Amino acid sequence: MTLEEFLGYAKMGFPLSTDEIHQFMDEMAEEARRITFELNSSYHTPNVNRRLLSRLFGRDVPKTLRVFPPFYTDFGKNIHLGENVFINACCHFQDHGGVFIGDGTQIGHGVVFATLNHGIAPKDRVHTYPKPIQVGKNVWIGSNSTILPGVTIGDNAIVAAGAVVTKDVPANTIVGGVPAKVIREISE
């Protein structure tokens, strides 16, 4: 299986359930671990961090990207970042389904992006189902938040620290809680 084949399959939301897919995912996880261990093992300049992340993502990252390691992912090849994105320490990207982050977004400590979910029925629980996460422009995601599969966060939104985001977040709103709910609108 090629990366392009896997990404196309995941984009369709089909279950990741065949031996071929599992073998590919295991190989990609090994590569991601090698690179993230290198990234997280000692201090690197911002330019070196960006070079390592470019290897991890399989494409050049923006020169304006700022990441404070440690940074974790078990795939890496389906993370897409806009300009002027900041990712604080200890964030986890489970990106098989795709994580798309817009320009100017700030991500706090320990945020989890989870794009895979297991089947609900006991017989189906061994299978995972990918859904992308879309984050708009100028979003602020507070520390220790969790963003679940299929969620879209609108431009200028704020996700309060510790929130578990299970549903789409409208633009220009603040959400918080478990599960996250709109707290108020943001006015200019």
Side-chain angles (χ1 to χ4, degrees):
M1 170 165 272
T2 68
L3 178 60
E4 292 73 27
E5 289 170 337
F6 177 85
L7 294 174
Y9 193 84
K11 187 175 184 178
M12 300 300 291
F14 295 133
L16 305 177
S17 59
T18 69
D19 289 341
E20 181 183 24
I21 289 172
H22 289 161
Q23 180 180 347
F24 178 79
M25 290 171 65
D26 287 346
E27 291 167 5
M28 297 307 292
E30 287 296 318
E31 179 181 333
R33 279 195 292 278
R34 279 192 301 274
I35 297 169
T36 56
F37 284 9
E38 185 177 350
L39 174 69
N40 299 333
S41 65
S42 65
Y43 172 79
H44 303 287
T45 66
N47 284 336
V48 172
N49 284 344
R50 282 189 292 273
R51 277 198 299 273
L52 289 166
L53 290 166
S54 293
R55 270 184 40 217
L56 180 62
F57 296 175
R59 73 185 85 64
D60 289 340
V61 299
K63 290 182 181 7
T64 57
L65 173 64
R66 292 185 314 133
V67 175
F68 289 178
F71 175 89
Y72 303 99
T73 183
D74 54 358
F75 187 62
K77 301 296 191 243
N78 209 1
I79 300 171
H80 309 271
L81 305 174
E83 294 290 335
N84 297 302
V85 169
F86 172 70
I87 302 170
N88 217 323
C90 298
C91 290
H92 296 252
F93 283 65
Q94 181 196 54
D95 61 293
H96 297 81
V99 177
F100 301 84
I101 297 177
D103 297 344
T105 290
Q106 299 178 61
I107 301 169
H109 291 89
V111 172
V112 173
F113 293 91
T115 67
L116 293 179
N117 209 346
H118 290 271
I120 294 172
K123 291 187 296 191
D124 193 34
R125 212 162 287 155
V126 298
H127 301 135
T128 53
Y129 294 84
K131 287 186 183 172
I133 294 171
Q134 304 274 347
V135 178
K137 294 179 181 180
N138 301 311
V139 172
W140 174 17
I141 302 176
S143 294
N144 298 308
S145 297
T146 299
I147 315 302
L148 293 181
V151 166
T152 296
I153 300 174
D155 292 348
N156 306 310
I158 297 173
V159 175
V164 176
V165 183
T166 62
K167 295 183 177 159
D168 291 353
V169 175
N172 302 302
T173 62
I174 300 173
V175 300
V178 179
K181 295 182 180 358
V182 174
I183 296 171
R184 71 179 179 96
E185 293 186 13
I186 299 170
S187 58
E188 291 191 34

